[in-house]
Amino acid sequence: MTIAAVSRKYALTPDTLRYYERIGLLPPVARTSSGIRDYREDDCSWIEFIKCMRSAGLPIDFLVEYVKLFRQGDETLAQRIRMLKEQRDILAGRIADMHTSLDRLDMKIEHYENMMAPIEHEPKPME
Amino acid sequence: MTIAAVSRKYALTPDTLRYYERIGLLPPVARTSSGIRDYREDDCSWIEFIKCMRSAGLPIDFLVEYVKLFRQGDETLAQRIRMLKEQRDILAGRIADMHTSLDRLDMKIEHYENMMAPIEHEPKPME
DNA sequence: GCTTGACTTGGAGTACACTCCAACGTTTAT
DNA sequence: ATAAACGTTGGAGTGTACTCCAAGTCAAGC
């Protein structure tokens, strides 16, 4: 799979894909004999995982470290679990905070709509 | 209330408070005769609201526009409601996405813990 | 065999959101 | 009344995460 194809598939620019690989956010991708990246299944799985985690706001440092440990093999498993759990809790906390903000936004909207009501009051049909 | 007091109260640096005011994320704050900011109740409400919305990831542009419209008075109410609803939906979507990521993280953790289990298996007392 | 278009690299540039600083004025405690 | 602490401004600097670019390589179609 060429970089262009992967780019389309995951809506990440080729520049971003190369950038991610450069900083170690993705493991090095296999190359053709002439040096062109040839993305495999595994690479795609990583990209999807990384994209998902990045969109959730997990820090790049963490993910770089995670990728590094993963590539070191099974003896890093316990450490990776600890790291994942830590990030899981942080993420859960952020979701909770965002929910608080959402509720507040909803309250504000409701409040404003009540203010509007007397003006744009269109009597609804009884049924 | 001085800028230092507000800074402590909301855990925003004085620099950030001045920056927010400069870009219009906060309405201009009243000053003493010698030009020193004197934050009032209203200012604090704004700061708290803005802090909450920023922490939820609402864009600064949006909030600047919102503050601007608010200061223009009631004739902008309908527009503000539309804007709030739009942001509400975007936020709800982001929360949903983050929940997907959270679930995925949980699955990964569970999967890894199952891999660990045979190794660190400590037989639990029957009760 | 030559153009066209996709790929490569290293490095520079950009956008966002602060964050820091110098140079100066004001307030407060001794 | 003077030092220390806090406030002001405009502007420069920082960190993050890309994003763009020049200069060059490579493969495919005509």
Side-chain angles (χ1 to χ4, degrees):
Chain A
M1 228 181 172
T2 67
I3 200 166
V6 175
S7 168
R8 275 190 297 279
K9 186 167 179 187
Y10 295 104
L12 294 169
T13 68
D15 269 321
T16 300
L17 288 167
R18 283 188 285 255
Y19 168 71
Y20 279 2
E21 189 180 341
R22 190 161 71 224
I23 64 172
L25 197 48
L26 296 174
V29 174
R31 306 299 184 100
T32 66
S33 57
S34 57
I36 289 180
R37 286 177 182 79
D38 177 26
Y39 291 84
R40 310 289 171 76
E41 274 300 314
D42 279 8
D43 299 313
C44 289
S45 306
W46 270 112
I47 291 164
E48 208 215 325
F49 174 68
I50 290 294
K51 200 193 164 188
C52 179
M53 294 303 121
R54 282 296 297 137
S55 79
L58 271 70
I60 282 190
D61 321 15
F62 162 80
L63 293 168
V64 167
E65 180 69 10
Y66 182 80
V67 170
K68 201 183 102 196
L69 290 172
F70 182 90
R71 279 163 43 74
Q72 280 170 28
D74 283 351
E75 70 264 37
T76 65
L77 195 52
Q79 189 181 350
R80 276 182 280 147
I81 290 173
R82 278 197 303 279
M83 289 172 68
L84 289 174
K85 280 181 170 172
E86 191 187 326
Q87 291 299 320
R88 189 226 101 90
D89 291 346
I90 292 169
L91 179 54
R94 267 215 310 284
I95 291 172
D97 287 350
M98 287 170 81
H99 226 290
T100 304
S101 299
L102 182 65
D103 289 346
R104 180 146 184 193
L105 216 36
D106 281 335
M107 279 169 54
K108 206 169 195 81
I109 289 167
E110 202 188 338
H111 172 68
Y112 277 168
E113 292 205 310
N114 288 341
M115 284 176 66
M116 288 292 289
I119 297 157
E120 63 166 355
H121 175 263
E122 291 171 42
K124 288 197 287 261
M126 207 61 165
E127 220 61 39
Chain B
M1 227 181 172
T2 67
I3 200 167
V6 174
S7 168
R8 274 190 297 279
K9 187 167 178 186
Y10 296 104
L12 295 170
T13 68
D15 269 322
T16 300
L17 287 167
R18 283 187 286 255
Y19 167 70
Y20 279 2
E21 189 179 341
R22 190 161 71 224
I23 65 173
L25 196 50
L26 295 175
V29 174
R31 306 298 183 103
T32 66
S33 56
S34 56
I36 289 179
R37 286 176 182 79
D38 176 26
Y39 291 85
R40 310 288 171 77
E41 272 301 312
D42 278 9
D43 299 312
C44 289
S45 306
W46 270 112
I47 291 164
E48 207 215 325
F49 175 67
I50 290 294
K51 202 194 162 187
C52 179
M53 294 303 121
R54 283 296 297 136
S55 78
L58 271 70
I60 282 190
D61 322 15
F62 162 79
L63 292 168
V64 167
E65 180 69 11
Y66 181 80
V67 169
K68 201 184 102 198
L69 290 171
F70 183 90
R71 279 161 45 73
Q72 280 170 30
D74 283 350
E75 71 264 36
T76 66
L77 195 52
Q79 189 181 349
R80 276 183 280 148
I81 291 172
R82 279 197 303 279
M83 289 171 67
L84 290 174
K85 281 181 169 171
E86 191 187 325
Q87 291 299 319
R88 190 226 99 91
D89 291 346
I90 292 169
L91 179 54
R94 267 215 309 284
I95 291 172
D97 287 350
M98 286 170 81
H99 227 291
T100 305
S101 301
L102 183 65
D103 290 346
R104 180 145 184 193
L105 217 36
D106 280 336
M107 279 169 54
K108 207 169 194 79
I109 289 167
E110 202 187 338
H111 172 68
Y112 277 167
E113 293 205 310
N114 289 341
M115 284 177 66
M116 287 292 288
I119 297 158
E120 65 166 354
H121 174 264
E122 292 171 41
K124 286 198 288 262
M126 209 62 167
E127 220 61 37

